[in-house]
Amino acid sequence: MTHRTAIPFPDGFLWGASTAGHQIEGNNVNSDWWRKEHDPAAGIEEPSLDACDSYHRWDEDMDLLAELGFTDYRFGIEWSRIEPVPGTFSRAEIAHYRRMVEGALARGLRPMVTLHHFTVPQWFEDLGGWTADGAVDLFVRYVEQCAPIIADGVPYVCTINEPNMIAVMAGAAKAGDQGFPPAGLPTPDEETTHAVVAAHHAAVKALRGKHPDIKVGWTVANQVYQALPGAEQVTADYRHPREDVFIEAARGDDWIGVQSYTRTKIGADGPIPAPEDAERTLTQWEYYPAAVGHALRHTAAVIGDDTPLIVTENGIATADDTRRVDYYAGALDAVAACLDDGLNVRGYLAWSALDNYEWGSYRPTFGLIAVDPVTFARMAKPSAEWLGSLGRERALPRAGA
Ligand code: BGC
């Protein structure tokens, strides 16, 4: 049965956009990424520098999101600012992030706080990163020190963003030049997988002990692996260490974040690059708005029906904002179809609120809001107006409706 009418948001549905500290704050000088960005051997295209200056302009970001019609804002806090040297916690930075939480609430935006989004303090990396002895305890100590930020008014906390990409990046680093294949992802580093899963479980326990009302989860990158006929088992085996292990590790959490952008086809010999004539985005990924629907269905199949699913990232890097609207229309149609089919989808957060630092370059623009690199002036794009208006209507459109 196909409904072609808009479907109302389920009660409490999250409707918003996501960001990450390092990608928008600027001058995150104590993080491992800052050092990497300034190391010629790392081969990074350009450094983050001031980013969007959201460290100082977070209020402008939130004003815009709330005015546009969004009700939720996912943002990250930076471990390296909060704990610039091991064991020393900055009261000023904790107060800064608490002001952000209160600023969101004052504007009618429910905050979802990400405790870790790819970056770690330089000192943590120097100790050996996630696989070093004691790494899990160090993470939990940081999480416990974040209590004043999240103690009141924060309904959702994400412990670690895309742990599967952390393991994949560690695998790529170990493999050296053989790191990234032309299609698909490198083999994740198993030790890193175990470490981040352990860190998540320990953080969930610590958070539940202190903040029983907060809903805790993590977010998993979903590549929407699609098997060519006959390659079903190859696909399942390929996907398991890159994705399913991390979804399984979220069983028992309060929710799971689903993040998807494109798809990867798999044949008998593994991943197959998208055809030459496929439409590609500024990240060179195949344009495939239906990805999010597949990602939601796969996540539900692995984790089970009870765990609420929240789309915590979904979007497109493009200079053509009309194409961004097309992408979101296609993606939301897929989300609406999942709701029609009874999936437990509780929210949709677009990636990203702002044109930001895309891990090495400012070129791929994912933002609903443009940022002038010199004045930092923000300007909402038509896609932002459109998505925001759906928040005011509290309904998801169906394609053709
Ligand atoms: C990450 C974001 C990133 C986005 C687009 C996700 O992997 O969580 O930090 O900017 O995808 O690449």
Side-chain angles (χ1 to χ4, degrees):
M1 188 176 51
T2 323
H3 299 272
R4 302 322 293 176
T5 50
I7 73 162
F9 287 174
D11 280 350
F13 197 70
L14 283 74
W15 187 249
S18 297
T19 55
H22 189 72
Q23 293 179 268
I24 63 166
E25 283 183 344
N27 298 297
N28 191 12
V29 298
N30 292 316
S31 84
D32 63 328
W33 256 82
W34 185 269
R35 181 168 53 190
K36 223 185 299 184
E37 289 163 21
H38 297 277
D39 172 4
I44 285 178
E45 201 180 309
E46 56 182 324
S48 56
L49 302 175
D50 289 329
C52 306
D53 193 28
S54 287
Y55 184 79
H56 301 107
R57 294 167 196 264
W58 58 265
D59 51 347
E60 294 174 40
D61 302 341
M62 292 187 192
D63 281 345
L64 263 174
L65 291 171
E67 281 162 20
L68 283 161
F70 294 105
T71 50
D72 293 83
Y73 181 37
R74 171 180 175 225
F75 59 88
I77 62 177
E78 279 293 320
W79 184 0
S80 65
R81 287 184 185 270
I82 291 171
E83 191 180 3
V85 285
T88 301
F89 294 87
S90 164
R91 291 192 184 91
E93 296 291 359
I94 289 171
H96 167 83
Y97 289 119
R98 179 64 205 167
R99 278 195 297 277
M100 285 184 69
V101 165
E102 286 173 5
L105 294 169
R107 290 165 175 82
L109 291 170
R110 284 175 298 200
M112 174 186 280
V113 175
T114 307
L115 302 178
H116 177 276
H117 194 127
F118 292 161
T119 47
V120 293
Q122 279 182 24
W123 61 258
F124 181 83
E125 191 62 16
D126 290 341
L127 288 176
W130 286 108
T131 53
D133 280 350
V136 169
D137 294 342
L138 290 171
F139 181 62
V140 171
R141 181 176 69 177
Y142 152 68
V143 169
E144 284 172 341
Q145 292 289 328
C146 293
I149 302 170
I150 57 175
D152 202 14
V154 175
Y156 295 92
V157 164
C158 165
T159 59
I160 300 176
N161 177 73
E162 294 191 352
N164 51 335
M165 293 308 292
I166 298 175
V168 156
M169 296 305 287
K174 280 196 183 163
D177 289 344
Q178 270 87 59
F180 260 85
L185 291 174
T187 307
D189 176 54
E190 249 183 81
E191 228 189 310
T192 304
T193 297
H194 291 307
V196 288
V197 167
H200 173 63
H201 288 156
V204 170
K205 195 168 166 220
L207 288 162
R208 283 191 172 152
K210 273 200 176 167
H211 317 278
D213 294 337
I214 294 181
K215 295 184 173 63
V216 189
W218 72 354
T219 62
V220 178
N222 191 301
Q223 305 298 331
V224 183
Y225 296 113
Q226 295 181 339
L228 295 191
E232 289 77 10
Q233 193 55 48
V234 176
T235 303
D237 293 346
Y238 187 86
R239 183 176 51 214
H240 194 264
R242 290 171 178 78
E243 214 160 280
D244 297 359
V245 163
F246 300 88
I247 301 174
E248 286 160 6
R251 288 191 185 130
D253 289 358
D254 300 310
W255 56 277
I256 182 165
V258 178
Q259 314 203 147
S260 73
Y261 294 90
T262 187
R263 67 172 163 187
T264 304
K265 290 194 178 174
I266 311 258
D269 299 324
I272 301 171
E276 281 295 308
D277 60 353
E279 179 180 347
R280 286 169 191 275
T281 69
L282 289 175
T283 41
Q284 295 310 311
W285 301 338
E286 183 187 357
Y287 175 89
Y288 188 63
V292 67
H294 295 277
L296 283 164
R297 289 172 199 275
H298 178 68
T299 306
V302 174
I303 202 166
D305 292 337
D306 293 342
T307 309
L309 311 166
I310 302 175
V311 176
T312 37
E313 288 186 22
N314 181 230
I316 173 175
T318 177
D320 175 358
D321 197 54
T322 308
R323 211 60 189 128
R324 190 182 330 278
V325 172
D326 294 343
Y327 182 93
Y328 279 122
L332 293 176
D333 191 47
V335 174
C338 289
L339 282 166
D340 269 352
D341 291 341
L343 262 76
N344 193 4
V345 186
R346 300 284 181 88
Y348 182 91
L349 306 175
W351 184 271
S352 182
L354 306 172
D355 283 343
N356 60 34
Y357 184 62
E358 176 54 23
W359 305 111
S361 167
Y362 283 102
R363 249 179 328 100
T365 42
F366 278 94
L368 297 169
I369 298 168
V371 179
D372 184 301
V374 176
T375 64
F376 304 109
R378 273 86 167 125
M379 183 135 61
K381 302 178 188 177
S383 54
E385 306 277 355
W386 180 68
L387 276 183
S389 74
L390 303 179
R392 284 190 296 274
E393 289 159 23
R394 308 285 308 158
L396 287 170
R398 301 301 309 260

